Amino acid sequence: MASSSSSSLSRVVVKSSDNNLFVVNKKVASQSQLLKQCIDNMEEKGTNDVILIPLSNVTSNILTLVLEYCEKHADFADDDNNNQELKQWDHEFLKKFDYATLNSLTMAADYMVTKSLLNLCCQFIADSIKDLTVQQIRQIFDIKNDFTPQEEADIKNENAWAFR
Amino acid sequence: MESLCNKNPNYEEKGVGLLPDSILVFILSLLPLKVAVRTSILCQRWRYLWTRVTAFDVDLLSYNETKPSFYSVMRRLTSPILRRLCVISNNPCTVSDPRCFKLACDRKVEEIQVTLMTLTYFHVPPCIFQCKTLVNLVLDITLFYIFDNIAMLLESCPLLEVLDMNVDCPLSSPLICIIAPNLKSLSFKMRNVIDQHQVIIDAPKLTYVYVISGGLVINFVKDPTVLDTAHIDLTYLSFRGMLEGMHGNGFICQICKFMARLSNVHELHLESNMKLFAYMHLVGSMPLFGNLSYARMILSRSSGVNEFLLFLQIAPNLKEVFVTLNYDEGNPLADMRQSAVVVPGLLLNNLECVNITGLQGNNDEVSLVGYILKNAIGLNHLYILVDVDNAAEDEDARHHFTKNVPAP
């Protein structure tokens, strides 16, 4: 009979969409609910083999970043007191990326169900667009204005309080 | 890492605009509503995204005449959930529409924060205190009515973890019961003493308490055993209350009982212009703050030194302490019999950091500093700021200190 303790896995292998393999420590992988779910399922089945988890939506560049985040947060998982240091690290971590990378990272965090990373990315994006003009937001997000001048005037009129 | 990302053309093309709607709505929910609404003009796809946000965060301070109707804007939100309702205004009319709060409560609101920057009455809609989903309630309003059954307050908000409110209001009942099984942080502020109110707290998970005790007498049903930090401001206490205190059953006696219940805390902030510890000493009921390692106090000039010395006696594990002497006198307890205080030197063993500001260089202060230097064997940081009005006095005080304080 396979009890869950006898088949406890210590590491998993994660495969990126461009077919690169990453060996990930279980504690680090558990930062992602998606990976954790896979591991839990395998452990329940009592598998002793190293398991391979393919992530069809995440490239190795982005996966490297997600795993870097998970590794850091796994280190702090048992320790509430270092929150300040971790927050600082989070901020420095995201500051490095352009919007395109940030975008992919956000999507990966969503896909891999790494809630704290998703929150972090969204908060970072929210903070960075808070003080921008409409034109600047369009530019950064590469959004094409597909409104006619009349439509645009109507929208402004409809929500006049927000456009003053 | 960055160079790797740049090699992949996929990541250069895609902007944040390509995130799925659900994530964009999540981002918009983190923004002030005004900013979220403005994104409606970006392009067709963003046109109505903002109406799906789960937060209503508006700052109405900059609107004078053409205020948006709070309720009509809120009604445009289509999400069945409204997590956060956060309004800042200087006009009670803009936030007093009870339909808004009703709508928020119906949509399972978790956080309500109302800031009203003006002296006015505001009727808090009763539905707030019956909201089953509420976790976080902050009412920063100088004067307001609470509905009549405040006695039953919050019993109906089982999830409440943070309660922060001013209670500068005439209440229909002098008794306020806070029964909150999950409450972690309680801030209860009464600056204007209108009447004496009895507050009874039953909150077994309370870790933080902040009380401005204008006319509040606070009792805990059970000792708050997990309380970590207490911030108590006694400087708004009424004179009447303190006078009654001299006769046994009034405020000061109650305050002392309240302080005794806080004796588990690790961190204490105290603002006091009365001889609190002297009173405890006098009546022979000094609580022991055995866990206390950090304290920050603002005390009155004349009695502060004595108060501080008395306090050191009941906080044997204190590591770090900040004291400011600045309140002026003029309270009826100032004349209370002053007993000379000597703290056994043993009790200062754990002190590592002492910071005293507002000193004027009188003999009491000099002996206090000398005493600390002599007995606090583990001290590694001592900061003293002498604060006097003119340069000559300053020179005197400096001289006095340098001459009389023994070198460590």
Side-chain angles (χ1 to χ4, degrees), chain B residues 48-345:
Chain B
Y48 295 108
L49 271 185
W50 74 269
T51 60
R52 291 162 58 186
V53 296
T54 57
F56 190 92
D57 177 351
V58 287
D59 176 352
L60 299 170
L61 288 178
S62 56
Y63 296 95
N64 296 321
E65 263 124 68
T66 50
K67 289 179 292 286
S69 157
F70 188 29
Y71 183 60
S72 68
V73 176
M74 197 189 248
R75 264 199 349 190
R76 294 193 60 194
L77 302 185
T78 55
S79 168
I81 302 287
L82 185 70
R83 287 188 210 292
R84 198 157 58 89
L85 171 62
C86 182
V87 193
I88 300 178
S89 178
N90 51 8
N91 183 341
C93 302
T94 52
V95 295
S96 61
D97 188 341
R99 291 175 302 174
C100 299
F101 294 97
K102 181 77 174 57
L103 193 70
C105 292
D106 288 346
R107 293 185 178 185
K108 304 185 164 52
V109 69
E110 289 164 18
E111 184 181 343
I112 294 180
Q113 195 165 344
V114 183
T115 307
L116 198 47
M117 316 264 279
T118 178
L119 273 171
T120 181
Y121 282 102
F122 168 74
H123 294 262
V124 178
C127 63
I128 291 181
F129 297 117
Q130 291 158 4
C131 181
K132 294 242 183 299
T133 51
L134 198 61
V135 176
N136 206 323
L137 176 62
V138 178
L139 296 175
D140 190 3
I141 302 162
T142 309
L143 291 167
F144 65 101
Y145 288 128
I146 305 178
F147 73 114
D148 278 352
N149 344 332
I150 193 167
M152 303 293 287
L153 175 80
L154 306 168
E155 208 171 351
S156 326
C157 305
L159 299 180
L160 198 72
E161 288 180 13
V162 177
L163 175 64
D164 179 342
M165 63 201 287
N166 293 331
V167 279
D168 285 321
C169 50
L171 302 176
S172 55
S173 155
L175 183 69
I176 305 173
C177 292
I178 298 176
I179 302 163
N182 287 303
L183 195 67
K184 295 192 176 110
S185 165
L186 173 68
S187 305
F188 232 45
K189 297 168 237 174
M190 179 182 271
R191 292 185 178 83
N192 304 300
V193 183
I194 296 162
D195 217 341
Q196 185 174 328
H197 297 309
Q198 189 86 16
V199 182
I200 293 176
I201 300 173
D202 185 3
K205 292 187 184 165
L206 200 64
T207 59
Y208 174 85
V209 67
Y210 178 22
V211 174
I212 297 181
S213 166
L216 296 173
V217 170
I218 297 180
N219 287 305
F220 289 99
V221 172
K222 289 187 208 84
D223 274 330
T225 47
V226 293
L227 196 66
D228 182 71
T229 301
H231 188 155
I232 311 297
D233 184 344
L234 303 173
T235 58
Y236 293 88
L237 269 177
S238 72
F239 286 85
R240 190 168 55 93
M242 282 193 284
L243 281 172
E244 284 168 4
M246 291 304 286
H247 305 293
N249 210 15
F251 268 15
I252 189 155
C253 179
Q254 303 269 19
I255 293 289
C256 291
K257 279 188 192 155
F258 169 61
M259 292 296 291
R261 300 299 286 274
L262 304 177
S263 59
N264 273 323
V265 294
H266 294 89
E267 183 175 332
L268 177 70
H269 298 245
L270 177 70
E271 279 139 66
S272 162
N273 57 0
M274 57 188 210
K275 294 178 178 172
L276 183 70
F277 298 112
Y279 182 83
M280 291 176 180
H281 191 63
L282 191 71
V283 299
S285 62
M286 299 277 276
L288 185 69
F289 284 76
N291 296 330
L292 194 67
S293 65
Y294 179 97
R296 194 175 270 273
M297 324 180 90
I298 305 180
L299 302 168
S300 75
R301 277 238 153 84
S302 70
S303 60
V305 170
N306 211 42
E307 284 286 288
F308 179 52
L309 278 167
L310 281 164
F311 169 71
L312 287 176
Q313 289 196 23
I314 57 173
N317 292 310
L318 198 64
K319 283 198 175 70
E320 219 177 320
V321 62
F322 293 77
V323 183
T324 301
L325 302 175
N326 79 344
Y327 284 115
D328 288 320
E329 286 317 301
N331 76 55
L333 284 178
D335 298 328
M336 205 163 70
R337 183 166 60 90
Q338 186 121 11
S339 45
V341 177
V342 182
V343 186

Side-chain angles (χ1 to χ4, degrees), chain A residues 13-70:
Chain A
V13 178
V14 181
K15 192 170 84 171
S16 67
S17 64
D18 44 351
N19 295 321
N20 283 325
L21 300 180
F22 294 78
V23 178
V24 186
N25 175 320
K26 186 174 133 188
K27 194 178 171 195
V28 173
S30 297
Q31 295 288 311
S32 152
Q33 285 301 312
L34 179 75
L35 300 186
K36 187 172 187 300
Q37 196 64 50
C38 293
I39 295 168
D40 288 350
N41 287 348
M42 293 312 278
E43 283 185 350
E44 249 168 60
K45 283 183 197 158
T47 312
N48 279 316
D49 306 335
V50 172
I51 57 166
L52 176 73
I53 305 171
L55 296 175
S56 56
N57 287 346
V58 188
T59 63
S60 32
N61 303 325
I62 297 302
L63 188 55
T64 311
L65 299 181
V66 176
L67 292 177
E68 185 185 342
Y69 173 90
C70 290

Side-chain angles (χ1 to χ4, degrees), chain A residues 113-126:
Chain A
V113 202
T114 309
K115 199 130 197 295
S116 62
L117 179 59
L118 179 63
N119 287 347
L120 184 69
C121 290
C122 288
Q123 188 66 59
F124 193 86
I125 295 170

Side-chain angles (χ1 to χ4, degrees), chain A residues 18 59-61, chain B residues 3-13:
Chain A
D18 44 351
T59 63
S60 32
N61 303 325
Chain B
S3 64
L4 273 178
C5 300
N6 291 339
K7 270 183 212 157
N8 189 329
N10 286 336
Y11 296 105
E12 280 171 298
E13 303 297 320

